[in-house]
Coordinates of all heavy atoms in Angstrom, one line a residue:
S181 N -6.5 18.2 8.1 CA -5.8 16.9 8.5 C -6.8 15.7 8.2 O -6.4 14.7 7.7 CB -5.5 17.0 10.0 OG -5.1 15.7 10.4
E182 N -8.1 15.9 8.6 CA -9.0 14.9 8.3 C -9.1 14.5 6.9 O -9.2 13.4 6.4 CB -10.4 15.1 8.9 CG -10.4 15.2 10.4 CD -10.1 13.8 10.9 OE1 -11.0 12.9 10.5 OE2 -9.3 13.7 11.7
R183 N -9.2 15.5 6.0 CA -9.3 15.3 4.5 C -8.0 14.7 4.1 O -8.0 13.7 3.2 CB -9.5 16.7 3.8 CG -10.7 17.3 4.1 CD -12.1 16.5 3.8 NE -11.9 15.8 2.6 CZ -12.3 14.5 2.4 NH1 -12.4 13.8 3.4 NH2 -12.0 14.0 1.2
Y184 N -6.9 15.1 4.5 CA -5.6 14.4 4.1 C -5.6 13.0 4.5 O -5.1 12.0 3.7 CB -4.5 15.2 4.7 CG -3.1 14.4 4.4 CD1 -2.5 14.5 3.2 CD2 -2.4 13.8 5.5 CE1 -1.3 13.8 2.9 CE2 -1.4 13.1 5.2 CZ -0.7 13.2 3.9 OH 0.5 12.6 3.7
L185 N -5.9 12.7 5.8 CA -6.0 11.2 6.3 C -6.8 10.4 5.5 O -6.6 9.3 5.2 CB -6.2 11.2 7.7 CG -5.1 11.9 8.6 CD1 -5.7 11.9 10.1 CD2 -3.9 11.1 8.6
D186 N -8.0 10.9 5.1 CA -9.0 10.1 4.2 C -8.3 9.8 2.9 O -8.5 8.6 2.4 CB -10.2 10.9 4.1 CG -11.1 10.8 5.3 OD1 -10.9 10.0 6.2 OD2 -12.1 11.7 5.4
N187 N -7.7 10.8 2.3 CA -7.1 10.6 1.0 C -6.0 9.6 1.1 O -5.7 8.8 0.3 CB -6.6 11.9 0.5 CG -7.8 12.9 0.1 OD1 -8.8 12.3 -0.4 ND2 -7.7 14.2 0.2
L188 N -5.2 9.8 2.1 CA -3.9 8.9 2.3 C -4.3 7.5 2.5 O -3.7 6.6 1.9 CB -3.1 9.5 3.4 CG -1.6 8.8 3.7 CD1 -0.8 8.9 2.4 CD2 -1.0 9.3 4.9
A189 N -5.4 7.3 3.3 CA -5.9 6.0 3.7 C -6.2 5.2 2.4 O -6.3 3.9 2.4 CB -7.0 6.1 4.7
H190 N -6.6 5.8 1.3 CA -7.0 5.1 0.1 C -5.9 5.0 -0.9 O -6.2 4.7 -2.1 CB -8.3 5.9 -0.5 CG -9.5 5.5 0.5 ND1 -9.8 6.3 1.5 CD2 -10.4 4.6 0.5 CE1 -10.9 5.9 2.1 NE2 -11.3 4.8 1.5
A191 N -4.7 5.4 -0.6 CA -3.6 5.3 -1.5 C -2.7 4.2 -1.1 O -1.8 4.1 -0.1 CB -2.8 6.7 -1.4
S192 N -2.8 3.1 -1.9 CA -2.2 1.7 -1.6 C -1.2 1.3 -2.6 O -1.0 0.1 -2.7 CB -3.3 0.7 -1.4 OG -4.3 1.0 -0.4
E193 N -0.6 2.2 -3.3 CA 0.4 1.9 -4.2 C 1.6 1.1 -3.6 O 1.9 1.5 -2.5 CB 0.9 3.1 -5.0 CG -0.2 3.9 -5.7 CD -0.9 4.9 -5.1 OE1 -0.8 4.9 -3.8 OE2 -1.6 5.7 -5.7
L194 N 2.1 0.1 -4.2 CA 3.1 -0.7 -3.7 C 4.5 -0.3 -4.4 O 4.5 0.2 -5.5 CB 2.8 -2.2 -3.9 CG 1.6 -2.7 -3.4 CD1 1.5 -4.3 -3.7 CD2 1.7 -2.6 -1.8
V195 N 5.5 -0.6 -3.5 CA 6.9 -0.4 -4.1 C 7.1 -1.5 -5.3 O 6.6 -2.7 -5.0 CB 8.0 -0.6 -3.1 CG1 9.4 -0.7 -3.6 CG2 7.9 0.6 -2.1
D196 N 7.8 -1.3 -6.3 CA 8.0 -2.2 -7.2 C 8.6 -3.6 -6.8 O 9.6 -3.5 -6.1 CB 8.9 -1.6 -8.4 CG 9.0 -2.6 -9.6 OD1 8.0 -3.2 -9.9 OD2 10.1 -2.7 -10.2
G197 N 8.0 -4.6 -7.0 CA 8.4 -5.9 -6.5 C 7.9 -6.4 -5.3 O 8.2 -7.5 -4.9
A198 N 7.0 -5.6 -4.5 CA 6.6 -6.0 -3.2 C 5.6 -7.2 -3.3 O 5.9 -8.2 -2.5 CB 5.9 -4.8 -2.6
E199 N 4.8 -7.3 -4.1 CA 3.8 -8.3 -4.3 C 4.6 -9.5 -4.7 O 4.3 -10.7 -4.1 CB 2.7 -8.0 -5.2 CG 1.6 -9.0 -5.3 CD 0.4 -8.6 -6.3 OE1 0.5 -7.5 -6.8 OE2 -0.6 -9.2 -6.2
D200 N 5.5 -9.6 -5.6 CA 6.2 -10.7 -6.1 C 7.1 -11.2 -5.0 O 7.2 -12.5 -4.8 CB 7.1 -10.3 -7.2 CG 7.9 -11.5 -7.8 OD1 7.2 -12.4 -8.2 OD2 9.0 -11.4 -7.9
L201 N 7.6 -10.3 -4.1 CA 8.5 -10.7 -3.0 C 7.7 -11.7 -2.1 O 8.1 -12.7 -1.6 CB 9.1 -9.5 -2.3 CG 9.8 -9.7 -1.1 CD1 10.9 -10.6 -1.1 CD2 10.1 -8.4 -0.3
L202 N 6.5 -11.2 -1.7 CA 5.8 -11.8 -0.6 C 5.2 -13.1 -1.2 O 5.1 -14.1 -0.5 CB 4.5 -11.0 -0.1 CG 5.0 -10.2 1.2 CD1 6.2 -9.3 1.0 CD2 3.9 -9.4 1.7
R203 N 4.9 -13.1 -2.5 CA 4.4 -14.3 -3.0 C 5.6 -15.5 -3.1 O 5.2 -16.6 -2.8 CB 3.8 -14.1 -4.5 CG 3.3 -15.3 -5.2 CD 2.9 -15.0 -6.7 NE 2.0 -13.8 -6.8 CZ 2.4 -12.7 -7.4 NH1 3.7 -12.6 -7.8 NH2 1.6 -11.8 -7.6
A204 N 6.7 -14.9 -3.5 CA 7.7 -15.9 -3.7 C 8.2 -16.4 -2.3 O 8.7 -17.7 -2.2 CB 9.0 -15.3 -4.3
C205 N 8.1 -15.7 -1.3 CA 8.5 -16.0 0.1 C 7.5 -16.8 0.9 O 7.7 -17.2 2.1 CB 9.2 -14.9 0.9 SG 10.5 -14.2 0.2
A206 N 6.2 -16.8 0.5 CA 5.1 -17.3 1.3 C 5.3 -18.7 1.8 O 4.7 -19.1 2.9 CB 3.8 -17.0 0.5
G207 N 5.8 -19.5 1.0 CA 5.8 -20.9 1.4 C 7.0 -21.3 2.5 O 7.0 -22.2 3.2
A208 N 8.0 -20.2 2.6 CA 9.1 -20.5 3.4 C 9.1 -19.6 4.7 O 9.8 -20.1 5.8 CB 10.3 -20.3 2.7

């Protein structure tokens, strides 16, 4: 479990469009 959690904690892949969504909405 400890090894899995360490590996999972460093997996930060985003859903397609997530970064663009937050960038576009940041001003509103």
Side-chain angles (χ1 to χ4, degrees):
S181 174
E182 288 298 304
R183 295 305 312 133
Y184 172 76
L185 291 175
D186 283 343
N187 290 326
L188 185 63
H190 290 86
S192 299
E193 296 89 347
L194 300 177
V195 171
D196 185 40
E199 189 174 1
D200 182 55
L201 168 64
L202 268 60
R203 186 187 303 114
C205 293

